[in-house]
Amino acid sequence: MKIIIINGPNLNLLGKREPEVYGNMTFDTFFDELKKKYPSITLSYFQSNIEGELIDKIQEVGFSYDGIILNAAAYTHTSVGIGDAVKAIATPVIEVHISNTFSRETFRHQSFISPNAKGIIIGFGLKSYELALQSFL
Ligand code: DQA
């Protein structure tokens, strides 16, 4: 089974960025642990701060992978383009967020991904990614 985690802007700073919201662990450390825990899954990871690069990656994997776990970060709330890309592809997308976006500012309550996602997992810290992975198993 081929699954990819795609992370959007500023998620490269996990571990340093607002630890009270996003925790202390770097994504690389978390991802290494996840790969070890689920050796039967071919798991890959892509992060970009650039909207078009995220769309390119979604298109590239969106007809051949078994699943996409997408945290589009701030673009979740602004990007019609990423929402359209999720709608355009055949691979199911699980939208994830580390924080509970609904307990935060109202601009974080809107998502252009959710209407086209297979499911949504929000607010469980980095565990949100693992729960999304388990949903594909
Ligand atoms: C986030 C929530 C977004 O509102 C925010 O812009 C992020 C991270 C999360 O995982 O909690 O960068 O997607």
Side-chain angles (χ1 to χ4, degrees):
M1 177 176 275
K2 268 167 77 173
I3 307 282
I4 186 168
I5 296 174
I6 300 179
N7 270 346
N10 302 307
L11 292 174
N12 53 315
L13 295 181
L14 286 176
K16 291 186 209 161
R17 173 194 184 195
E18 299 175 84
E20 66 288 357
V21 179
Y22 299 112
N24 294 302
M25 194 181 274
T26 67
F27 199 81
D28 284 347
T29 304
F30 171 75
F31 185 65
D32 283 348
E33 286 179 8
L34 202 61
K35 274 195 302 192
K36 275 187 211 137
K37 203 164 163 187
Y38 297 90
S40 64
I41 298 176
T42 307
L43 194 58
S44 51
Y45 172 54
F46 177 80
Q47 189 277 332
S48 177
N49 294 322
I50 299 167
E51 187 176 10
E53 287 186 359
L54 294 164
I55 293 170
D56 283 346
K57 182 55 76 175
I58 290 165
Q59 290 184 5
E60 182 192 316
V61 299
F63 295 91
S64 53
Y65 277 52
D66 300 299
I68 297 173
I69 298 169
L70 175 63
N71 185 349
Y75 288 140
T76 304
H77 318 300
T78 63
S79 179
V80 175
I82 295 177
D84 280 353
V86 170
K87 193 172 187 182
I89 59 172
T91 298
V93 173
I94 308 290
E95 175 183 355
V96 303
H97 297 285
I98 298 164
S99 63
N100 178 355
T101 47
F102 291 100
S103 68
R104 301 180 67 191
E105 304 94 321
T106 40
F107 68 83
R108 295 185 203 276
H109 301 181
Q110 153 98 338
S111 168
F112 286 98
I113 315 297
S114 301
N116 302 310
K118 184 180 179 207
I120 305 160
I121 300 172
I122 294 177
F124 294 92
L126 290 173
K127 187 93 183 164
S128 296
Y129 293 92
E130 186 177 357
L131 294 170
L133 192 62
Q134 286 173 353
S135 79
F136 284 118
L137 294 176

